[in-house]
Amino acid sequence: MSLTDGEIVELARELDDAQTSARAVTGRSAGEDWDVLSAYRVQRHLVARRRSRGEQPIGLKLGFTSRAKMRQMGVHDVIVGQLTDAMDVPDGGELSLDGLIQPRVEPEVAFRIARDVDLDDPRACVATAVDAVAPALEIIDSRYRDFRFSYADVIADNTSAAAFVIGPWAPVRPLDNLAVRMTVGPRTVSTGTTGAILGDPIRGLRLLAGICRRHAIPVRAGDVVLAGAATAAVPLTGGPLDEGPLIEGFVTAQVADLGRVSVRVTRARKGGDAS
Ligand SMILES: O=C(O)C/C=C/C(=O)C(=O)O
């Protein structure tokens, strides 16, 4: 089922309000399915709302590129979302849980795009436009209650994108089998390998090009592309934030032969109380 123009605008507003007020909503697909084309149109409107508040697009993300994530969420097709500068947390910097609903963290790798990719050219290859790779962390935060969504729902919600951290950029190298470990303080919370991402994360770039071509999402020089999680996502809270933070302190992803990236997760301060 396709959504009308009015429904698309309304759903983008609803999801945007959910994000800005940190209050979850119910997925539209409870009971009815809807189409991917409409879902990417909602995503476009949602990102346009963020841009109208001054945010700048700075990249793209892939999702559901590993079996661990597909199994965790019950979704079996790759998705693409859009990153803005407001989501960019410096390596070693602070991620406040304020303003998030039910954040989870994932270890990833990132690509840096050196030149605009002309997606009108059917031979266009995103992989050849990559000039650097880096370890990364992504913080996802579904605007749907309890992360319950359909494929179309999660695309509309900009693939749960909330924040990301990029480690030191390194020259392009094989990424098909690098060990990945995510730790919270001294505790290992997940392990895997970059091969879990489509056998080789570079493969995601071909899928990205197809999706971006179909839904008129540009791939530009300077963009960061997150390849998708190598392991299942780890919750940063015990549930909705008012149930109290579960994880505080440094979260680190280490990707063998590539490097490490970390972020300091800090407690949400209710009611703006800074004490
Ligand atoms: O799990 C979600 O809410 C959607 C996001 C998925 C990813 O970012 C991923 O699989 O890496």
Side-chain angles (χ1 to χ4, degrees):
M1 185 192 75
S2 297
L3 303 193
T4 64
D5 289 352
E7 285 171 324
I8 283 169
V9 170
E10 178 53 24
L11 190 48
R13 188 197 57 73
E14 198 188 317
L15 287 166
D16 194 41
D17 287 352
Q19 186 246 313
T20 53
S21 66
R23 282 181 210 285
V25 294
T26 303
R28 187 187 161 85
S29 301
E32 53 177 336
D33 213 353
W34 57 294
D35 69 305
V36 170
L37 195 62
S38 300
Y40 276 105
R41 288 184 64 205
V42 175
Q43 183 189 112
R44 190 175 324 135
H45 278 269
L46 191 63
V47 173
R49 290 180 69 103
R50 296 185 76 125
R51 291 178 72 157
S52 73
R53 294 195 288 272
E55 295 182 33
Q56 294 302 316
I58 56 168
L60 302 166
K61 58 160 283 191
L62 284 150
F64 304 133
T65 48
S66 67
R67 280 194 200 290
K69 274 296 311 213
M70 291 181 196
R71 250 196 317 269
Q72 183 178 36
M73 305 313 298
V75 174
H76 299 93
D77 261 318
V78 170
I79 51 177
V80 168
Q82 303 181 56
L83 305 174
T84 73
D85 56 353
M87 303 175 189
D88 188 3
V89 179
D91 188 10
E94 178 183 335
L95 173 78
S96 166
L97 298 183
D98 275 331
L100 299 178
I101 303 169
Q102 47 197 342
R104 297 177 176 181
V105 64
E106 305 177 328
E108 305 208 6
V109 293
F111 299 104
R112 191 173 66 194
I113 305 295
R115 53 179 169 75
D116 291 354
V117 180
D118 176 10
L119 293 172
D120 292 333
D121 177 351
R123 291 161 310 166
C125 176
V126 179
T128 57
V130 171
D131 75 343
V133 293
L137 286 165
E138 186 187 359
I139 295 82
I140 55 170
D141 188 30
S142 180
R143 272 55 70 163
Y144 299 115
R145 201 160 291 116
D146 303 326
F147 272 83
R148 287 156 76 97
F149 48 65
S150 70
Y151 185 62
D153 285 334
V154 66
I155 291 167
D157 185 27
N158 196 21
T159 67
S160 310
F164 65 94
V165 194
I166 306 290
W169 290 109
V172 176
R173 65 201 55 203
L175 294 174
D176 56 327
N177 191 21
L178 305 181
V180 175
R181 175 183 300 275
M182 189 162 70
T183 51
V184 176
R187 191 161 56 96
T188 297
V189 291
S190 69
T191 56
T193 142
T194 51
I197 305 167
L198 296 167
D200 184 338
I202 201 90
R203 293 204 180 119
L205 296 178
R206 194 144 50 86
L207 302 176
L208 177 99
I211 293 173
C212 289
R213 182 178 295 118
R214 280 197 293 285
H215 302 289
I217 302 170
V219 181
R220 300 194 190 90
D223 275 357
V224 165
V225 176
L226 296 177
T231 71
V234 174
L236 287 172
T237 67
L241 269 182
D242 50 10
E243 290 176 19
L246 186 70
I247 284 180
E248 281 185 84
F250 275 98
V251 177
T252 301
Q254 167 91 47
V255 181
D257 296 329
L258 188 56
R260 62 168 62 208
V261 54
S262 58
V263 68
R264 187 162 61 88
V265 176
T266 59
R267 182 180 285 271
R269 293 184 286 260
K270 283 189 186 164
D273 176 8
S275 62

